[in-house]
Amino acid sequence: MTAGDGNQLISVHPEDLKFIFELEKQSFCDLKVANNTEHHVAFKVKTTSPKKYFVRPNTGVIQPWDSCVIRVTLQAQREYPSDMQCKDKFLLQSTIVPPHADVDELPPDTFNKDSDGKVINDRKLRVVYIPPSSTQGNSEDEGLKGSTQSPDANSAVQSLKDERDAAVRQTQLLQQELDLLRRRRYRKSDPGFSLMFAFVVGLIGIMVGFLLNLSLSSPSTE
């Protein structure tokens, strides 16, 4: 016979199988199964989609008042389900077995309900798919906010900005000096004019190149 919900041999947490669903990535959910009796209890996990899930252990024996963890792994999927709704189901069966029973030596009919006087507990488990975004925040704004809260990242970005601003100011000063030298170009008698002019032009070229490198290497702050 099958026991009612109020006489369950085992308890399961969580009651639903929840997977973070991402394309081409595996996801897993751990179930804690506890034996609520003074007997040895055997369990078996079944699913309507055995090719999609990897269950370990899928069969076992739990000692009195003890517990174990069952890991259910969702294999990598190539497409999203319709409306992120999953129709897969899991069934966790449990029954009392003799003391010191070994999982590898359980009779084939251990979980058959047609055996006289045998109590078989059935617990159905739903499958829930969770979008990755919902685990990072309640909205895209919160997700973006969370991604910019790293102190190290903020410090690196601010340092690059300061260096870029300093380079811009230096370039502006050099540009002003160049304009001044151009205005003094009529002073042909100044022997240091040509050398100074070439030097300033070279410095401006170096600073412009430095600014371009900073602009290309600076991380996006958007």
Side-chain angles (χ1 to χ4, degrees):
M1 65 179 180
T2 303
D5 292 340
N7 298 315
Q8 290 289 333
L9 300 174
I10 58 177
S11 59
V12 182
H13 181 79
E15 295 183 352
D16 293 331
L17 286 162
K18 297 181 180 180
F19 299 95
I20 299 174
F21 192 97
E22 296 184 76
L23 290 184
E24 304 294 341
K25 289 186 179 181
Q26 288 187 344
S27 181
F28 68 87
C29 178
D30 286 342
L31 294 175
K32 182 178 181 180
V33 181
N35 182 354
N36 300 323
T37 74
E38 57 185 9
H39 306 287
H40 285 70
V41 174
F43 69 85
K44 184 178 182 66
V45 182
K46 299 179 179 180
T47 178
T48 56
S49 302
K51 293 184 178 180
K52 286 176 60 176
Y53 302 93
F54 183 76
V55 183
R56 284 294 180 271
N58 62 348
T59 306
V61 176
I62 308 176
Q63 297 183 6
W65 312 113
D66 201 357
S67 63
C68 75
V69 174
I70 302 173
R71 171 159 292 191
V72 182
T73 302
L74 170 65
Q75 303 298 325
Q77 302 296 303
R78 296 182 178 180
E79 59 183 15
Y80 287 103
S82 177
D83 299 326
M84 287 295 286
Q85 300 297 317
C86 181
K87 297 181 179 180
D88 301 334
K89 298 289 190 301
F90 278 79
L91 179 66
L92 179 58
Q93 294 182 303
S94 58
T95 186
I96 297 174
V97 294
H100 309 297
D102 189 282
V103 63
D104 295 327
E105 298 178 355
L106 292 176
D109 63 347
T110 298
F111 299 97
N112 290 351
K113 297 180 181 180
D114 55 1
S115 300
D116 294 338
K118 181 180 293 186
V119 176
I120 304 292
N121 278 176
D122 287 346
R123 181 182 289 269
K124 296 179 180 180
L125 302 173
R126 248 183 358 126
V127 176
V128 178
Y129 290 158
I130 304 173
S133 58
S134 66
T135 64
Q136 301 173 357
N138 294 329
S139 66
E140 292 183 1
D141 292 339
E142 289 182 1
L144 292 174
K145 182 179 178 181
S147 66
T148 59
Q149 286 179 348
S150 171
D152 293 338
N154 287 339
S155 177
V157 171
Q158 187 61 43
S159 177
L160 287 173
K161 283 184 176 180
D162 292 342
E163 291 178 9
R164 183 176 59 188
D165 293 341
V168 169
R169 289 193 297 270
Q170 187 65 27
T171 301
Q172 290 173 345
L173 290 175
L174 290 174
Q175 184 66 44
Q176 292 175 3
E177 183 68 19
L178 179 60
D179 291 341
L180 179 62
L181 289 174
R182 284 174 176 172
R183 287 195 297 270
R184 296 171 56 189
R185 193 170 184 177
Y186 66 92
R187 295 175 58 182
K188 303 291 185 179
S189 61
D190 188 349
F193 170 79
S194 299
L195 181 61
M196 178 64 71
F197 184 85
F199 176 74
V200 172
V201 171
L203 278 180
I204 291 178
I206 293 173
M207 296 305 297
V208 170
F210 180 68
L211 281 174
L212 289 174
N213 287 334
L214 276 179
S215 299
L216 292 175
S217 63
S218 297
S220 176
T221 58
E222 295 181 359

